[in-house]
Amino acid sequence: MSSNLIEVLVPIPLLEKFSYLLPKDLHSNPPKPGSRVIVPFGKRTLVGVVWKIDTEKGNKERKYKYIKEILDLEPLLDKESLELADWASRYYHHPLGEVISYFFPPSLRKGKEAKFLEAKFFELTNKGEFFDLAELSRAPIQRKALELFRSKKEFSQISAKAYGISSSALNALLTKGLISKYTRELTPYKKQDKSSVGSGKKKLNEEQQYAVDSLNKAKDGNTVFLLNGITGSGKTEVYLQAIKNIISQGRQALVLIPEIGLAPQAEERFKRYFGERVLSFHSAKNEREKLDAWLGASKGLVDIIIGTRSSIFMPMKNIGLIVVDEEHDLSFKQAERFRYSARDMALYRAKIKNIPIVLASATPSLETLNNSLVDKYKVLNLTKRATGAKLPKYIPVGLRGKELHEGLSDELVGLTEEELTKGNQVLIFLNRRGYAPSLICRSCGWVSNCERCDAHMTVHTSPLRLHCHHCEAQKEKPKSCPSCSANDFQSYGYGTARVEEFLKKRFSKFPVLRIDSDTTKKKDSLNSYLSSIKEGKPMILLGTQLLAKGHHFPDVTLVGILDADSGLFSADFRGSERVAQLMTQVAGRAGRDKKPGKVILQSYCPEHPQIEELITGSYETFALTLLEERKSAKTPPFSFQAKIQAESPNSYISRDFINDLLISIKKNGALSKELRLVGPLPSIMEKKSGVFRWEVNVFSTNRKSLHEFLDLSQALLYRPSTSKKVRWSLDIDPISVM
Ligand code: ADP
Ligand code: ZN
Ligand code: ZN
């Protein structure tokens, strides 16, 4: 029995792997691991992926079902992809069947063919070549068509039409055997002349050159590089030139970027440099484009893939280098279901492949910084701006007791005026979209709380409505106060839309571009904003973190940070790290080119040591202080962390669920002394989207004991007897407490 069994992964949130029988006529030619098959599953049929052949002994008691169909004769995933999936499934404690589905684009998950678009072609046969044309004298149209075939040899269906060959003529020639028909895949990718690659490259400064040389030397081993360069130091230029070297050896590069909004720009910069065999990959691509990119990369027809988080799963025929740009960025971590970190998976992928990987950032995460301090990573420093510009000057502005103009101090308004008049651009940063964070009743103190979340609903204008940014609930602004019936509302606090209103009035001669997720919902709208900024006319750019990431705005000379305090007093131990990264990134948009830049940092507590550190020191000195704090608190990166969260419509049920789980784990002896448990506690936002959330956070300096704990937790959580009233999640290396 054993020789006919095949282990198949199905995209189902269950831990087991399922075995199927191979039909007799396929015994001599079984499907290979990494190819897709169709299998019955309960009452359904599913597309599964062959995992192992012949491994299970077979259980006589059990009735196995037959594989229904083999979809791929050759495996679609190579050994390394299978190994990466296996590792990720064990590391993140997520079912392998779901993990493996991330390696396929949607059409392949649905079982469609792994092919480029196909087209019909017609080709001259031998018979057609030597056929006596006189025999067609009574069929002049066929004769004319045959003559065309003799001069061109083949036509696609479309080009035949363009040449005036009718389908009846084609059919007649086919019947007579003068031409034959076949279908062919049309690859959208062309061969490229490698000599044109790298045109327009810049002459590197000494530090950049050293970095490129180091990367070039490392091509045949798994070295992890931290490309630690201040904002505008030419990090991109460095990895572009390193990629050039990789491509000239006939290998491929994968570049991960944090934000889909950055993809078109990045693709354009890469195309200018490398020509057409560059492709961006992200969620906004349609199914066909995703499949084409996937096929192009896995067949080695594309040299470079630039993409967001999910590109880490992209198979590549001959990958030679991975770059993770802005490696500190939170978007590399998926926040639901399979909670992987694309950066960490990239590190493992590079290890399996034995290739170098570059983590680039002006504000490296504390994990990465620590790894470079203990010499696990090799650091390449870029300490100067590539254009020769200086880092901007910080001007702290204390806000206590000051009259503000919708959040702007007199100082900021004055300097904005000055810079605009000089013909420069000003960037105002506020990480809060909408008009105002809450609506209050001035008569009784009622506040616009969300009914489903522990949060206020944000006031939005045009149209005037209340939105919850946590559960997406929306409603009309009430006509009168729900609590006291008065009609005396006030929008409390300010968001980008409110600041925009003020700026437009105050600086009416200049355009104000508000850039946040509300104004950039439409496809390509961010891109059109970015191109109008590039024109360089004086204007105000106002926005959220969308504006802070990676952009190069040569004409911005003043950056105003409206609220440097938000995040400083956060309950999350990672809060300070985030603020420092965000502030440094935002500030880094100023003075990147010929004109020097200034940064106004508004704060209610400018004398706060962390704000002072940011102003007088650098991100790095700040981060080193934070690392010391983490070390004494034994929080990551000085320990490993996992979070188990439970949610249900009833707070007690969620609490008891976590409690009971911990009791079972204790009974089973997997609660080692090396583990530090924080919780069960209600999550910081306990109520969200109508459910109540409790969690336990587990810290350990010993990865093995944490893994034992998680293995057992996972086994208990996936038991069929686990309460269905509760939704739970396991998060390894969580990045937020929300
Ligand atoms: P980063 O990725 O570090 O933010 P970029 O690579 O985008 O920096 O470079 C910032 C600006 O400096 C870009 O306009 C880039 O074209 C320019 N630049 C980069 N390297 C050089 C160089 N060696 N000489 C002149 N300009 C450079
Ligand atoms: Zn009221
Ligand atoms: Zn809500």
Side-chain angles (χ1 to χ4, degrees), residues 441-446 481 483-486:
C441 167
R442 295 212 298 187
S443 148
C444 77
W446 171 90
C481 174
S483 163
C484 74
S485 307

Side-chain angles (χ1 to χ4, degrees), residues 450-457 467-473 685 687-690:
C450 174
E451 283 155 29
R452 310 174 67 224
C453 304
D454 292 330
H456 298 155
M457 292 185 95
H467 289 209
C468 174
H469 289 177
H470 301 280
C471 71
E472 307 303 327
M685 184 183 289
K687 186 163 89 167
K688 191 180 170 197
S689 303

Side-chain angles (χ1 to χ4, degrees), residues 256-282:
L256 300 183
I257 54 172
E259 181 70 45
I260 185 170
L262 291 169
Q265 284 187 77
E267 187 173 355
E268 196 192 301
R269 186 164 175 187
F270 272 72
K271 282 208 162 127
R272 241 185 291 135
Y273 201 95
F274 292 108
E276 285 305 307
R277 291 188 15 137
V278 171
L279 212 71
S280 69
F281 186 80
H282 48 72

Side-chain angles (χ1 to χ4, degrees), residues 202-204 208 232-237 269 386-387 552 592:
K202 298 221 158 42
K203 190 171 174 334
L204 301 180
Q208 285 177 311
S233 58
K235 296 182 286 296
T236 313
E237 195 63 34
R269 186 164 175 187
T387 52
H552 183 63
R592 287 168 68 93

Side-chain angles (χ1 to χ4, degrees), residues 42-327:
K43 287 190 183 117
R44 300 185 281 167
T45 52
L46 295 174
V47 177
V49 179
V50 175
W51 183 244
K52 275 182 190 156
I53 292 160
D54 214 6
T55 47
E56 203 170 316
K57 290 272 179 304
N59 179 345
K60 284 205 184 90
E61 315 284 292
R62 200 156 158 180
K63 272 212 167 144
Y64 292 99
K65 291 181 178 166
Y66 278 95
I67 283 177
K68 281 201 153 156
E69 200 182 326
I70 295 178
L71 293 177
D72 311 302
L73 288 174
E74 289 307 315
L76 293 188
L77 296 183
D78 57 12
K79 265 212 215 86
E80 282 91 5
S81 297
L82 297 176
E83 191 179 338
L84 184 61
D86 188 36
W87 172 81
S89 161
R90 282 184 285 114
Y91 184 82
Y92 292 107
H93 288 82
H94 196 82
L96 185 55
E98 286 203 337
V99 171
I100 205 113
S101 70
Y102 280 74
F103 285 74
F104 294 100
S107 54
L108 296 184
R109 266 177 239 161
K110 291 180 198 157
K112 299 219 175 102
E113 273 189 299
K115 278 186 175 169
F116 291 116
L117 267 185
E118 287 188 328
K120 278 197 189 118
F121 283 85
F122 299 91
E123 145 187 85
L124 188 66
T125 58
N126 242 346
K127 185 176 172 196
E129 180 91 58
F130 302 106
F131 193 73
D132 185 1
L133 286 176
E135 285 188 37
L136 290 176
S137 57
R138 296 243 230 103
I141 294 175
Q142 289 178 36
R143 180 184 164 137
K144 175 114 193 295
L146 186 58
E147 278 173 339
L148 279 170
F149 267 100
R150 281 190 178 168
S151 65
K152 297 261 308 171
K153 305 298 181 222
E154 69 162 29
F155 286 97
S156 69
Q157 192 165 34
I158 291 163
S159 65
K161 212 172 238 162
Y163 275 84
I165 308 176
S166 66
S167 45
S168 60
L170 284 174
N171 284 334
L173 294 182
L174 273 173
T175 326
K176 293 186 173 126
L178 304 178
I179 60 171
S180 61
K181 186 165 97 174
Y182 67 97
T183 54
R184 193 169 76 202
E185 272 182 272
L186 301 172
T187 143
Y189 308 110
K190 299 180 196 76
K191 280 240 157 50
Q192 175 149 328
D193 170 16
K194 296 265 190 294
S195 63
S196 69
V197 160
S199 47
K201 69 175 183 178
K202 298 221 158 42
K203 190 171 174 334
L204 301 180
N205 64 34
E206 233 172 77
E207 287 177 331
Q208 285 177 311
Q209 191 61 53
Y210 175 78
V212 172
D213 291 344
S214 308
L215 291 172
N216 288 350
K217 266 187 249 151
K219 65 181 180 359
D220 295 315
N222 174 230
T223 316
V224 183
F225 291 94
L226 165 60
L227 182 57
N228 187 5
I230 61 166
T231 51
S233 58
K235 296 182 286 296
T236 313
E237 195 63 34
V238 165
Y239 68 70
L240 281 173
Q241 297 207 15
I243 289 174
K244 173 182 177 262
N245 186 43
I246 293 289
I247 291 181
S248 67
Q249 300 157 18
R251 302 169 80 182
Q252 298 163 289
L254 173 63
V255 180
L256 300 183
I257 54 172
E259 181 70 45
I260 185 170
L262 291 169
Q265 284 187 77
E267 187 173 355
E268 196 192 301
R269 186 164 175 187
F270 272 72
K271 282 208 162 127
R272 241 185 291 135
Y273 201 95
F274 292 108
E276 285 305 307
R277 291 188 15 137
V278 171
L279 212 71
S280 69
F281 186 80
H282 48 72
S283 58
K285 299 260 167 179
N286 68 32
E287 254 185 41
R288 183 73 242 173
E289 291 170 325
K290 282 181 183 166
L291 178 59
D292 283 350
W294 193 94
L295 290 168
S298 65
K299 291 173 193 282
L301 301 171
V302 174
D303 294 329
I304 303 171
I305 295 279
I306 321 167
T308 46
R309 178 172 74 219
S310 61
S311 313
I312 190 56
F313 302 104
M314 183 73 100
M316 294 181 100
K317 191 169 181 208
N318 193 6
I319 191 170
L321 179 70
I322 305 179
V323 176
V324 184
D325 202 2
E326 313 288 354
E327 67 85 29

